[in-house]
Amino acid sequence: MKASAFSYARATSVVNALELLVAQGDKAKVLSGGQSLMPAMNLRLISPELIVDIGEIAELRGIAVKGDVLKIGALTRHVDIQESPEIAAHAPLLTDAVAHVAHPAIRNRGTLGGSLAHADPASELPACMVALNATIVISGQAGERRIAAEDFFKGIYETDLSAQELLVAVELPVKRKNSVHFFFEFARRHGDYAIAGLAAQAVVQGDVFADLRMAFFAVGDRPVLARAATKLIDVAVTPAVLSDALTALGEELDPHDDQQASASMRGHLAKVLMARGVSALLGRLDLSAGGPV
Ligand SMILES: Cc1cc2nc3c(=O)[nH]c(=O)nc-3n(C[C@H](O)[C@H](O)[C@H](O)COP(=O)(O)OP(=O)(O)OC[C@H]3O[C@@H](n4cnc5c(N)ncnc54)[C@H](O)[C@@H]3O)c2cc1C
């Protein structure tokens, strides 16, 4: 199928893009890498009247470290994340995760901003942003605002962005001392959207978690920062403590059924992921459930 007829404008700056979006009300759509937008238009799931192409806006590009903050521009492509030495050094969770996003052809075009704005609950990068405690930077006609990633995702394909705003960048706290990460997803084939996945970031002191953020994806309508993981912080993690956290996780998650997996299978996989994540982060094979990753 082909998309309905639409007008096209190439924005020259963030200000220009915002003017174009405001002028068109809810009938305009931002075009970034086009890897989710164009299929949706071709299937006529959406029929915007105007496409605002932001692909040439230089101020939306770039990866930079300033003090304790790693800033990544919205137009950073998945392949740029994969190849960035700054990201590998300061947010290696992202380097691991992005290798699971689709395939090279899509990673060559798809962007970080597009993935976050699209907010597919089975996507890897939104969960990483939640695990890494990222701040999402948004521009609108009233100026710039910042929102925690945890509050940015509102539901399936739903975020805090209005139709007249642009996601311009994300800001991540740089990797702390004794910081470790874990990423794993269950998918039918490498590169497919996940059936269940976990992005986690922790600070380990001795044998104990001083901090632990576990963001599950594909098991709810948005990335879920597991409250159950707080049961594992500042305590000696025994099998009984882990079992308690796994029970709490099961009560907290509300997975869905679809053609790929039942809700109960997703719930089970999330528990396997939590146990494997804790085991890997602490280097404790005795805590792993379902065998090593
Ligand atoms: C076959 C296939 C497999 C895929 N597999 C995966 C996968 O396994 N995991 C995964 O995470 N993704 C996957 N994707 C999606 C891919 O990662 C997309 O690149 C991504 O979801 C959207 O990024 P984009 O830059 O292409 O955005 P676009 O398609 O251009 O835009 C997506 C949406 O975000 C809006 N938007 C884009 N940029 C901005 C911005 N800066 N500010 C405000 N709104 C904006 C657009 O208006 C649109 O609504 C797959 C895609 C395909 C085609």
Side-chain angles (χ1 to χ4, degrees), residues 227-276:
R227 288 189 303 279
T230 59
K231 290 180 172 289
L232 303 167
I233 297 174
D234 287 333
V235 292
V237 181
T238 60
V241 168
L242 178 58
S243 167
D244 190 30
L246 291 172
T247 303
L249 180 71
E251 287 162 5
E252 180 181 349
L253 295 180
D254 185 18
H256 57 285
D257 286 309
D258 65 15
Q259 293 143 325
Q260 294 217 73
S262 64
S264 67
M265 179 173 160
R266 285 195 157 88
H268 169 73
L269 292 178
K271 288 184 182 179
V272 171
L273 285 167
M274 179 183 246
R276 288 188 189 187

Side-chain angles (χ1 to χ4, degrees), residues 29-37 54 74 78 100-102 106 110-111 113-115 117-118 123-124 161 166-167 191-193:
K29 271 282 185 192
V30 173
L31 172 67
S32 198
Q35 299 303 293
S36 296
L37 181 67
I54 60 169
H78 304 325
H100 296 266
V101 177
I106 291 151
T111 65
S115 173
H118 187 56
S123 273
E124 292 80 2
L161 275 173
L166 268 191
L167 192 160
D192 281 4
Y193 278 104

Side-chain angles (χ1 to χ4, degrees), residues 148-159:
E150 205 183 324
D151 301 323
F152 176 75
F153 300 102
K154 299 287 187 200
I156 301 175
Y157 307 127
E158 243 186 84
T159 70

